[in-house]
Amino acid sequence: MVESSHGVGGAAEARAKRLPRWVAAVAVLPLPAWFSVAALLAPAPAWRAEYRPGANGAGSTAVVAERKLEHYWDRRFNRAPGGVDVHSFVAEWQACLSVAQPRDVPFLLVSNGVASFSLDGQVALQNGGGKQRQTSGQVIRLERGAHLLRVSLQARGWSSIALNASFDGGPPAAVGSGEPVSGVRLSAPRSGPAPCASDG
Amino acid sequence: MPRAATVRSSLREGWGAVGRGLLGGAWPDWVSLASLAALSCVFIATVGDYGLTYDEDPHILYGERLLDFYASGFRSSVGVSRSSYGAAFDLCAALLRRVSPWDEFRTNHVLCAFIAQLGLLGTWRLGRLVAGPLGGLSSLLFLVLTPVYYGHQFNNPKDIPFAAGYVWGLYFIARLLLALQPRAHAADAAAAVRSLGGRYWVALAVALGLGMSVRVGGALLIGYLALFVTLVSLERWRLESRATALALLRGVWLRAGLAVVGAWVILLVSWPRALLSPVRGPQTALETVSKFTAYDSPTLLGGQVIPSQNVPWDYLPTYFLMQLPELGTACFVATGVMVMATSLLALRRRRPLPWVWLLLLVSVMLPPAYAIVRHSTLYNGLRHFLFIIPPISVLAGAGVAELVRWTAPRHPGWAGAVLALMGVFTLDQGLWLWRMHPHQHAFFNRASGGLPSAVERYETEYYGNVYPELLAQLTREVWEKRREEYMSRTFTVAGCGSKLFFTKNLPLNLQYTAMRSAAKADYYATYARDGCLRRFRDRALVARVERGGATLAVARDMKRKAKRSRGVVSASPPR
């Protein structure tokens, strides 16, 4: 049985003794470093979500930032911000979608519960509630610039909500923060009358 | 013919020079460094490819409850105080989720991959300790190139952290055993023990404690420590002056005892069940997990469905023989035989025994032997014994290194040939890792007939990893073939496995429905477990995940019959 170094001579022996530390460093440092950088550089959550108690008044109003608009509640996922009753609450989400060039975007609104999707203040999609999960979709022409997205939900029973869109021709996916494709960016709205106005 | 003889002689000389050259120098350490650096890059690039698995969600929930428990000042919670599993990994994952930009499962995978890298490093260190730089490199290669272990490194929050704790525990115990080896002079022996230093004993306590704080079965390491230090002490007593041995070992026993106490403190702090009941808690947990009668899902062995509480004695040996690379198994067995032969010879000649090698052998053989003798509940193949694969790799790798060391001065060409064989093995297994990606955990070796022979006869894809790929294919299929419907209605998808496999991998407009409603669903999507691939075979196939020539998962259109053409089942024309 042999232990550690086989180096001969001062410098070589010193290098041989340091080598295990370098090996340990390349084994354990990259992942945490990458995670730290990814966490620091990750786009800020773009959806401003406001949860309000429903008719039974349980819980309190909570405003949180969320990275994408896709939720479903069941026995496993049975909590909502503000401690509101997940069987009876009202929620609204807002975000700003900026496109560099005009494009046609398929949007899907999926929900259990009464829900609507507005684009720049105009209702584009609505789901009327009922026991089954509903999906409504439309291809919407987005002109160059920033657009205000607003989604609302009145939850009844075990609810769900998602706003899906396709920017690359693939299946629509939940609209998430940051830049899903080049030339398209989802960012948080500002407070005030023009939440998606750009600087300058 | 002189020219041919000259060529042969030159080749022999050249090969011999390669063999001799390969023995010396630090080149194995540099290759290990490069390998681990490359692996880090691969881990980072591919961690997002792995799906969530059965064990993840319960552990995520457990982690959140743990945070609540500690943040609230140890207010007891039933779900926390009765858990049979230690809390270290889950607590770390819960803390990481507070700052992670990703969802809970991807964050879990990043932590799991990091812990796995610690395990790889521990295996390298142990192999290097036992058999030098070449032993370290060979051990690392054998472990990395074991696909069934590789695949679990990203999404197994129980068995991989435990494997990492296990191998590091073995490493520190091995260092102690090496320091306790008999030496020519008593002063050298004392110096060897002193050289361990205070940091060593702290590190030993941490390794033992963290091993136990993932699974209480890590107490095995304390058993190994006690057993082997006792045996080495008896040997020193037998071979040397009693006074010298006593003077040396008294200090070791005291420090080892303190390290065990330190490990227990780490366990108590990181495991609520132990915190609330320091002795009884871990004891009952150990009894529960070693028998584990609470779970009785059927498992597969050679095409037979058997209850997991009643598996035959050859269940584990069969899965190990079929799922480990053949060369690794052969090297492990050969090394094990050599260790036993060397030990018997040493006993006959009253020489010191190769304790570190025996420690490794016991660390591999004892756990499965115990499970077999106790008729433990076993399922999912060898998953619960992944932790013995690192010491298997160390024995295999150290054996290769010792073989090269022995042959190089005598038959340099043979030493070169051994290393060339390792090179071929590396390429071959590396290709398998790539071909199976990201489902390496379902690997079956060539000697077993490969994956095509194993699917539906043995447990292959039982963990849920296949669902992201399958359901992405299904979603694309529906989007491309049924665009108008996609934009206006919700589809239902039934399937085998956890509901989470579907809800986390499908957009909301493809809604999961229970298997009892499968006949009315739009689609059926399933992995290989529980014979689910055989269901609804008369329905049109719309998506499939294949690896190594075998089907691991399928999705079927429940509203369309499969069209039969010359005995081949294919989908009927789209609507």
Side-chain angles (χ1 to χ4, degrees), chain B residues 263-288:
Chain B
W264 206 259
V265 170
I266 292 173
L267 174 68
L268 295 186
V269 166
S270 60
W271 187 16
R273 180 170 177 160
L275 192 64
L276 298 169
S277 182
V279 176
R280 190 93 187 111
Q283 183 189 353
T284 51
L286 193 55
E287 286 165 8
T288 303

Side-chain angles (χ1 to χ4, degrees), chain A residues 7-30:
Chain A
V8 177
E13 197 167 329
R15 255 202 315 275
K17 278 188 178 166
R18 280 199 300 270
L19 207 43
R21 287 185 198 156
W22 296 343
V23 174
V26 299
V28 303
L29 289 182

